[in-house]
Amino acid sequence: MASIETEPIAPDAGITQKTGRLGATLASTPFLGAVVAILTWPIVWPGPTAGLDASWAAGLYMAHGAGLQFGTEFVFTYGPLGFLQVPVLYDEHLWLLASVYRGFAHVALAISLVWVARRAFPPAVAVLVCYALLVIGYLEGAMVLVAFIWCFVALGNCPPRSVAPLIALGGGLIAAVELLGKLNFGIAIFVLCSLAVLGMPGWRRNVPLFAGTAGISLVGLWLIAGQGLGSVPEFASNALQVLSGYSHAMSVNVSDVDWERPFAVGAMALLLAAALGATLHDPLPRRIASIAIVALFSFFLFKQSFVRQGLGNGSDFFPMMLGAAIAVASRLPASVPRLPPRTPALALTLPLAALTIAALPSPSLWESLKPEHHIDYLRQDLHALLSGSERRRLVADGRQSMQSVYRLDRRSLALLGDRPTDVSPWEIGAAWAYRLNWHPLPVIQGYQAYTPALDQLNADALSGTNAPEAILRQNTNAFARTLGESADRRYPAWDPPATATAMLCHYRATRTTERWQVLERTRNRCGSPRLIRTVRSQTGAQIAIPPPPRPEDVVIARIDGVGVEGWETLRSTLYRARQRTITVDGSRTWRLVPDTAEDGLIMRAPAAVDFPEPFRLAPNAHTVSVQIAGLSPRDIEVQFFAQSAPPTTNCCGESGMWSPDSCDPGACRSAD
């Protein structure tokens, strides 16, 4: 056997070798990304709370406990995996899944940002930039930004070998998860990954791999979530209804964003120009795909942020654009003749960094950059993840806190009992707080039923055989200081209108307090609508409302001509529709949803027919006018209908939408 001569090993060679490996690990992208993720952990309280947004989150969790089918029994902007987007302890097991997924998304984003930033800037600068970006922005659409980063990297000249399967397999799986989570995020990820696999070399292999992964994942996750394949068509069609009506109905200015909107358009143009420069010498298919990815990502983000302006999504626009700019900068040339090194990357990222700082909701940049609060929330999440007793404490504290806000009285709770109960208009967290037998209308919060099809879906549910036996109605005015008075300043009984009419026809009040009203299902007491007057007028003009022809009649107005049409359709697609308002008696003004204005707005109703104060459906208006912001007067037609709704009679022989409080509650239970 031949001998093998070796070099003598120095006594400290092993230590040096270990130190080298340790240094390489500490300087590696995964390690640095993980450190950044820890220091910038999302600030999200896991305890349940009351409120409009907190309530739909509760609904996402309760839907699984109730075995509801998404698309037929549950319609919203979120699908059966929507709870992954909002890790709140309404259900311990689902919260564990949501927390793990949220943590995965955050760590994946941090590592992805560090990876591309190190290719655009020196390592220390790259880490600091990524830290500042993540500590400032919550970045709700984290997975959309992760998808953008790797799709754009995949179309570069020398992408990592693993990037093609990462997009085809990982992208297909994440697109499926997000499509069943938050629909607009899922569509964005699916489109970005589709463009990437079409533009990458080897598309004949990658396209079917991506499509197959996404399709199999969608079916598998749908079934795992307890959904039946029979509800898939309704899930798709109703999801399209939600998407199509969003820009028409949900536009709102919560705060002043006048400077942010034009600068957002400028940021989009800057990112697109940088992408054109970064792909100047690329093959045409890769260049087209890269530019399309940048353009569509910017468009998705703009719609997410500026249809509802001044909300949390708006403050995330510039941080998300900065994250995308770092990815684009990684493909820009490192130097340009006669300019300092890294000038192209700095010219792209510095303006977006300045806009990110300018858009900060906090008045102090220094306070925003501190990691203490983020680390505290990481510690809280880890404690809850590892300790069942901590989770149970948070759940108990959440119930107690919510009950202290809701203050639902014992007699109302006794009337509800274990009956299948809907909560209207939106505070469905009360069903979780008091352990009610929640039986929601398909569109779980009324303000979301903003197309005629969605409104009719809820109206049919109230008149059908599977209608809830009881409805717990919230007086939004009584909760105005703590929970908000209305959704976007809309009139509750017109939000949505056909559903309100169905409620009036099929339910009666059995208890009314200042804060809550309990409705009980009864036989249909309404006749067919009768046309009593047609008025042709214009927006801005006052229109007289006819009185009820008979004592038991309700007057309903169907307004035609205020919908989105013509050039405004393009404006709504690219941005949002103009706001509509409706004014009654020249003094009371509310937002008007254009698509449901023809569904029939309750205008006048006798006190004996309507629900008791303060839950009346009719504003009892004598005149009405409609305005469309920024448009000259437009022709409209208003048809007034009378619909008979005879008052019921209670156990004491009194007529009206009665409450047992008006007589001896022990005399009888039903008015039928």
Side-chain angles (χ1 to χ4, degrees), residues 337-362:
R338 295 186 295 277
L339 290 176
R342 306 187 190 278
T343 295
L346 291 171
L348 171 61
T349 55
L350 284 179
L352 288 169
L355 290 171
T356 298
I357 294 170
L360 277 176
S362 170

Side-chain angles (χ1 to χ4, degrees), residues 399-410:
R399 274 204 168 90
Q400 183 177 2
S401 172
M402 293 168 71
Q403 289 179 12
S404 69
V405 173
Y406 293 141
R407 289 158 46 193
L408 184 58
D409 63 286
R410 292 181 180 179

